[in-house]
Amino acid sequence: MNVDEMQKKLSQKATNEHEHQFENLYGLLCNEVWLREAVHKTLRNTGGRTAGIDTMTRSNLLGDLEGYTTRLREALKAKTFEPTPVRRVYIPKPNSKKRRPLGIPTLFDRIVQQALRMILEPIWEADFSIHSYGFRPSRSTYEAMTYLGKRLTGNSGALYQWVIEGDIASYFGAPGKARRFQRVSFPPWQEASHLTGNRVLGAWR
């Protein structure tokens, strides 16, 4: 399997057929080539050197990479894989005395998350607004700032005079988290997700 080609096919299908419901995406998650690509992407990340609650480090994983990858794939195929609680650490917030909570997953959880991202991203990208810039491939706050800058200067400046910035504090950490995740995972948004009834959603949660 060619991972890049498969991602292009997923993207094209989602873009051209908005009502299409993808099937057997879980099979991709268990695919040997797909999972190995997810392993390599995870280990290339800087955060791959930081251990989760199981103390497994990048060096430990590389010590038996073939064995660990095979066992992880077997657990996914058997549907016995269970995510592990994250290791909670607190890091300083810029220009503040407060500290930001940070959850560090285990390496195995990060690998599965990466494999899921590789499946879901090309599908969900088809539904995102062109004006959405956060946490998307080849997009960043710099593109958003450029877009806004062009509309606050020149001819557009006569129409756009204000920029309003908002932030919801501790949105996913505050009470009622399950209810908010339900709003993300089910109608009306799920209808456009292409994933209704797909087992890969269970792995995502």
Side-chain angles (χ1 to χ4, degrees):
M1 174 190 288
N2 185 305
V3 174
D4 289 337
E5 286 300 317
M6 177 56 72
Q7 287 182 310
K8 288 179 182 177
K9 288 181 181 179
L10 292 174
S11 176
Q12 290 170 355
K13 195 75 171 178
T15 301
N16 298 330
E17 301 180 31
H18 293 288
E19 301 301 322
H20 180 76
Q21 298 295 313
F22 287 91
E23 297 179 357
N24 195 32
L25 293 178
Y26 194 83
L28 283 179
L29 188 66
C30 304
N31 180 273
E32 183 177 357
V33 176
W34 198 276
L35 197 58
R36 288 183 186 279
E37 180 66 17
V39 169
H40 292 311
K41 285 180 179 292
T42 302
L43 293 180
R44 284 200 299 267
N45 291 338
T46 306
R49 302 188 184 94
T50 307
I53 200 171
D54 63 351
T55 71
M56 170 70 74
T57 64
R58 182 176 181 273
S59 297
N60 298 143
L61 188 65
L62 288 173
D64 186 18
L65 184 60
E66 186 69 27
Y68 282 126
T69 304
T70 299
R71 288 189 287 273
L72 177 59
R73 179 169 176 256
E74 290 173 350
L76 288 168
K77 288 178 67 177
K79 301 184 181 64
T80 58
F81 174 82
E82 290 286 344
T84 308
V86 299
R87 180 165 68 89
R88 176 68 79 191
V89 298
Y90 292 87
I91 60 175
K93 294 184 70 173
N95 306 315
S96 173
K97 293 182 179 180
K98 295 182 179 180
R99 293 193 300 167
R100 185 190 305 277
L102 184 67
I104 303 177
T106 65
L107 267 177
F108 296 120
D109 285 356
R110 273 177 267 179
I111 289 169
V112 174
Q113 289 169 4
Q114 180 68 251
L116 284 168
R117 183 200 64 77
M118 290 160 52
I119 296 170
L120 298 176
E121 189 173 79
I123 296 173
W124 283 347
E125 272 293 306
D127 292 327
F128 274 107
S129 166
I130 60 171
H131 303 301
S132 175
Y133 292 88
F135 302 99
R136 294 181 64 188
S138 303
R139 289 188 167 219
S140 70
T141 52
Y142 295 106
E143 280 77 20
M145 291 166 61
T146 300
Y147 177 86
L148 288 173
K150 289 180 179 178
R151 276 149 187 78
L152 290 171
T153 58
N155 294 332
S156 297
L159 298 175
Y160 301 97
Q161 299 289 333
W162 295 84
V163 175
I164 300 174
E165 180 184 12
D167 184 23
I168 303 175
S170 302
Y171 183 73
F172 287 110
K177 180 176 70 173
R179 188 165 60 253
R180 283 189 288 275
F181 269 109
Q182 188 178 37
R183 292 294 299 274
V184 172
S185 304
F186 294 98
W189 179 78
Q190 191 189 50
E191 188 174 337
S193 72
H194 309 279
L195 300 174
T196 304
N198 206 299
R199 284 199 307 269
V200 78
L201 278 176
W204 171 56
R205 294 194 189 103

